[in-house]
Amino acid sequence: MDVITPKRIKITLKTIRALTFIGLLFFVFLSTVILSVVLYAKWQGPPSLAVPQSTIIYANDGSTIGELHNGQKRYWVNLDHISEHVLNATLAIEDQNFHKHNGFDYKRIAGAALADLKAMAKVQGASTITQQYARNLYLEHEKTWKRKFNEALYTIRLEQNYSKKQILEGYLNTIYYGHGVYGIEAAANYYFGKSAKELTLAEAALLAGIPKGPNLYSPYINKEKAEKRQSIILEIMKKENYISEKELDTAGNQKLVYKIKTDNIQKGIAPYFQDAMMSSLENEYQIDEQMIQTQGLKIYTTLDPDMQEIAEELVEQSIDEKSDIQAGFVAMDPKTGYVKALIGGRDYAESPFNRATQAKRQPGSSIKPLLYYAAVTKGFTPSTEMKSEPTSFTYDNGKANYKPSNYNDYYADDFITMLEAIALSDNIFAVKTHMFIGMEELAKTGELFGLSSKIKQIPSTALGTSPVRLIELVNAYGMLGNGGNKITPKFVTKIENADGEVIYKADKTKEQLLNEQAAFVTTHMMTGMFDTSLNSYTSVTGHSIADALTREYAGKSGTTSTDSWMVGMSPQLVTGVWTGYDKGKTINLVQERSYAKNIWATFMEKALDDQSVKAFTPPDGVVGAYINPESGKLATKGCPGKRYTYFITGTEPTEYCEDHIDEVEENDANEKKQEEDRWFDKLFKWWD
């Protein structure tokens, strides 16, 4: 047992006194700083509540494609003309201690810091309504200590010079509710066709949830998420005693009737592109939408106005105006991922839902290039053969069976090569490949190519039964076409603030993600879809548009009962087109099944009309040879439809095709006899 001597007690007391003195000094220093800030804020006086500046959006040629006018859809109303449900819902979800704090909720800040520390990431926000109001009105979005200090200063100035009623009123009249709509009065009119005073509890709870993420919680963009957040807000309101259990049940069961006015939608140029661009800045680069809308930014985008105009005209002219079929369209630069043109539907005013970036649809056979890329990395080659015949596949340890079929039940009933299989879109070959290399490989490859939707490990996913987004599949094809470099869809090249300072610039660094040789071999096989010289049991899938194409393209189509796809590329441009009905209706007309291919072919030709003709360049490590597509062996003199095909070096065929030797010998004999006959005729004529 330690003995506490008088000397040790003396040292301990001395240490305690020193620590107490240091703590006192720190307290005095902190108090002085806080007092100085408060006095400085008081000296600064009430901050201006001026309307924020407009943000301008530019295309890649410098032309203006959009301008965010902050006063067009804002109507200022005082709190007496706003439903009490709106006030309560907003306070419940945004700032439960609004009437108790002086601008900062220290308990909430501590709780958020603890949650962030546990998660080792930013998972909770702690900003009060006053802080949000200050940030939205006055501040840049840069994540620096200077911005945080200024935010605190403005928050104090607001609290010192305006009442809680004025702050809440200002917040509700300036907050952004999506679709270019500012303030609760404009939002109530836009979403429900009524004034803010008339909003029901259910409607108020839904609107209160939108400002956290307008591109995520707008019911016109994602109704399911919007109404799920509404339910959360209603539960919080019950917990905070703003409403009773009965009111909670009534509001939860109320069917919301939304109203959309076409004159309230800011169409501009490429509205679906602009929505996708805004969403990418918020979700991928954490640039707040409120800041984008109000801080006088200059946003330089990747949009090519000429390509966008071509795409819009083709969609409008190609699809029967009486049809309800929808369309999605994406064109990208395969080297950079820059989105050149985008269409998310046939009428933005009627439906802002973006089918190019948000909708998940079954890609059908257009998923096969990813499968065949995986197969090439596992040792398959364009000459690999499998039998095309009706086949039943057993999986899940023998518990399940799957029996796919080819289009119109056409089968070779013989062995075909992978080169033929991709050009003809043979389903039996695809599923056999999928099962042979392991069903997990396609799932892994989907992740490698950046597909956010997980591909199920079942036989049918070889035929595209796992839904994907159009923009992600186009991006995946771009990676194949660029030699395997990683790209992601980019909408913005640069952003400048109101002072002309660059606050964001697109990254141009390259990263080799795929096997370069396997990517090229797969891409070159994809050119076979347009090669009508391939002789087999059925036509290549691109035969209907092949005559309209004047340069080398690689592509793949896909068809399901509800979806029609065409995705393809040249070295300069990768484009994907999807057509189909939103839900509950199948594609039955032959004409409707041709929309995607025809739009794609015409667009590619027009978009590249002023660019040089380029072919996909083979990298080191591949070798080309003429083969007989039917046997996969090196072509001989008599082989019909011989095709120059690339292989990873060391995997090229070494055997020559012998299928037509007899035919060649017979032809040679006939040619020799014809030559002898011609010689006799000449001699006879001379003698005569």
Side-chain angles (χ1 to χ4, degrees), residues 274-326:
Q274 292 195 46
D275 279 357
M277 178 270 296
M278 296 281 283
S279 181
S280 72
L281 289 178
E282 185 175 4
N283 297 331
E284 297 174 30
Y285 308 111
Q286 287 74 55
I287 298 179
D288 184 78
E289 186 171 355
Q290 185 78 9
M291 182 244 187
I292 298 170
Q293 292 277 351
T294 61
Q295 295 301 312
L297 306 178
K298 290 182 178 179
I299 302 176
Y300 297 90
T301 74
T302 60
L303 185 79
D304 185 309
D306 293 333
M307 290 191 186
Q308 181 69 28
E309 184 177 359
I310 293 169
E312 289 179 355
E313 287 180 356
L314 283 172
V315 169
E316 182 179 357
Q317 295 169 6
S318 302
I319 299 177
D320 187 341
E321 62 179 9
K322 297 177 182 177
S323 174
D324 293 329
I325 204 167
Q326 280 293 348

Side-chain angles (χ1 to χ4, degrees), residues 41 44-48 152-162:
Q44 288 278 304
S48 170
L153 183 63
Y154 278 118
T155 299
I156 294 170
R157 290 175 66 190
L158 283 172
E159 288 280 345
Q160 284 181 341
N161 294 282
Y162 296 99

Side-chain angles (χ1 to χ4, degrees), residues 394-414:
T394 302
Y395 66 103
D396 194 17
N397 295 321
K399 298 176 185 176
N401 289 294
Y402 175 60
K403 190 172 183 179
S405 61
N406 279 348
Y407 181 68
N408 284 339
D409 283 328
Y410 288 150
Y411 304 91
D413 288 322
D414 200 350

Side-chain angles (χ1 to χ4, degrees), residues 71 240 626:
E240 296 297 315
Y626 280 103

